[in-house]
Amino acid sequence: MTRIDSAAASAHSDLVWESSILPALERYIEIPNRSPSFDREWREHGHMERAVSLIADWCRARPVPGLTLEIVRLPNRTPLIFMEVPGALDDTVLLYGHLDKQPEMTGWSDGLGPWTPLRRGDQLYGRGGADDGYSAFAAITALELLARAQARHARCVVLIEACEESGSLDLPAHVELLAARIGKPSLVVALDSGCGNYDQLWGTTSLRGLVTGTLRVEILRGGVHSGDASGVVPSSFRILRELLSRIDDERTGEVRVKALHTATPADRAAQAQAAAVVLGDSVSARFPFVAGARPMGVSAAERILARTWQPTLSITGIDGIPALGSAGNVLRPYTAAKLSLRIPPSVDGAAATAAVKRTLEADPPYGARVSFHAEMPGQGWNAPPFAPWLERALAEASHTYWGKPAMFMGEGGTIPFMGMLGEKFPDAQFLITGVLGPGANAHGPNEFLHIPTAKRLTCAVAQVLEAHAEPRK
């Protein structure tokens, strides 16, 4: 029987969010703390340090009994915020989030900007508020709700990293250093995921992995007159286009490398069907298509599975091509493209990367110099089945704070930490959730945090933590 009074919890969550969290989040949004992959001089710029200090100072000031906080620093690595709250039983819950940000992106609407926080009704706009600056505030406030209700909970460890958007490259070193202090959690709560709508609690059941790198095609030592050379010298862009066709069917979007495919588990297919019934056309309508454009796939369920259990190629950057205003009649010496291949949760990222590299570099057309410089792969993750107690707790929390059943679905993105934790703690239960719902647009322009969902999720996490402390069946 829960000791948390839902009305009191909702009222206090609303009070803390309105009076304290949202003002702090606005200051956080103003800080351009790009992840290290997007700001090689992040130490010198100091933005990461400002974000760490802001969040750490806010957390330290909250009335959570026994809360301790340390900013952990390792040479040549981003800092990590490590928090610990003692519990009433000999067990551990690990709560996770991150504070680094994606780059600002262009295309923000008039009046909006990546480093300009702006609240419009239920939405707080700005880079990083929803992905995932809110996470530390929500986690600590959930623990505050438990303390106010004098509700039992396990010892809680909160990790807030600063390298997630760069593939969590620094996190393994921190986890190794802190292994004894982290302990062996039986429940992991990660607040860095999405929700299919804002009408109920959503749990993420899988995450895709990531193969990323730069494909570079060089054909000349320098640019030459296009009229003089075309017809003799092949275009580096055409060669790159031919190479991309080895791994991607340009007509259908199907990835042609067999090593990047796997069968979809039956339970995940069933969850996709159930989510499709709830979400309907919003699975595709949530994206800002231009007038007359249409999505891939023919049904909501097919589209859910395509973005969660099938590989897909995206070109996220290109080099060697001048802007239109500077495009002269020149046959360019090279073309390079940044490839982002999302892979199914259970496909090995290292093996997939090796297969892509072999496919692209073999037998280069016209003897061109072709190279694929791969980055560290992101491993996908498939959650273990929910224990009965957790399934009940999620259902109850969703009904309590949203008035509707909890829903479950895979996500198309990658959280490298989850794969690492899944291997390290194979017996743990996982609640992966978040506030990135329709229109939230993490990584793109006009990113926003849906404030009512964040308030409800704070209460739901507290209720799940209390349920975790009860006798389990």
Side-chain angles (χ1 to χ4, degrees), residues 153-220:
H153 62 82
R155 167 182 174 264
C156 291
V157 170
V158 184
L159 297 183
I160 306 296
E161 68 158 314
C163 195
E164 193 275 343
E165 301 292 6
S166 298
S168 293
L169 298 178
D170 295 339
L171 192 57
H174 283 295
V175 171
E176 182 178 353
L177 174 72
L178 298 167
R181 296 171 63 184
I182 292 173
K184 187 177 180 180
S186 62
L187 173 64
V188 175
V189 179
L191 300 173
D192 184 28
S193 192
C195 48
N197 57 32
Y198 299 118
D199 301 326
Q200 54 214 119
L201 177 62
W202 287 80
T204 297
T205 54
S206 64
L207 295 157
R208 283 193 291 185
L210 180 62
V211 172
T212 186
T214 299
L215 173 61
R216 185 181 178 95
V217 175
E218 299 173 83
I219 193 67
L220 294 168

Side-chain angles (χ1 to χ4, degrees), residues 331-376:
L331 196 62
R332 299 172 297 98
Y334 79 95
T335 303
K338 182 69 171 289
L339 311 189
S340 175
L341 276 151
R342 298 289 175 173
I343 58 175
S346 56
V347 169
D348 181 78
T353 298
V356 170
K357 184 176 178 66
R358 286 194 305 270
T359 303
L360 291 171
E361 292 184 347
D363 191 20
Y366 299 102
R369 184 181 299 163
V370 173
S371 60
F372 179 65
H373 297 285
E375 300 176 9
M376 180 176 289

Side-chain angles (χ1 to χ4, degrees), residues 271-289:
Q271 288 171 343
Q273 291 285 350
V277 172
V278 171
L279 298 177
D281 290 342
S282 69
V283 172
S284 55
R286 63 188 290 186
F287 300 110
F289 287 98

Side-chain angles (χ1 to χ4, degrees), residues 112 190 230 252 435:
L112 302 178
S230 59
T252 65
V435 296

Side-chain angles (χ1 to χ4, degrees), residues 248-296:
D248 175 67
D249 187 326
E250 60 269 20
R251 296 167 303 149
T252 65
E254 181 180 356
V255 171
R256 288 171 161 158
V257 183
K258 295 188 185 307
L260 274 61
H261 288 265
T262 191
T264 303
D267 57 342
R268 300 303 181 226
Q271 288 171 343
Q273 291 285 350
V277 172
V278 171
L279 298 177
D281 290 342
S282 69
V283 172
S284 55
R286 63 188 290 186
F287 300 110
F289 287 98
V290 298
R294 62 182 183 274
M296 300 162 63

Side-chain angles (χ1 to χ4, degrees), residues 273 276 296-307 310:
Q273 291 285 350
M296 300 162 63
V298 296
S299 69
E302 182 179 326
R303 289 165 185 152
I304 289 172
L305 289 174
R307 64 177 286 273
Q310 294 174 18

Side-chain angles (χ1 to χ4, degrees), residues 118-130:
L118 180 66
R119 180 171 181 175
R120 288 181 176 171
D122 288 338
Q123 298 164 350
L124 175 62
Y125 286 88
R127 175 64 83 234

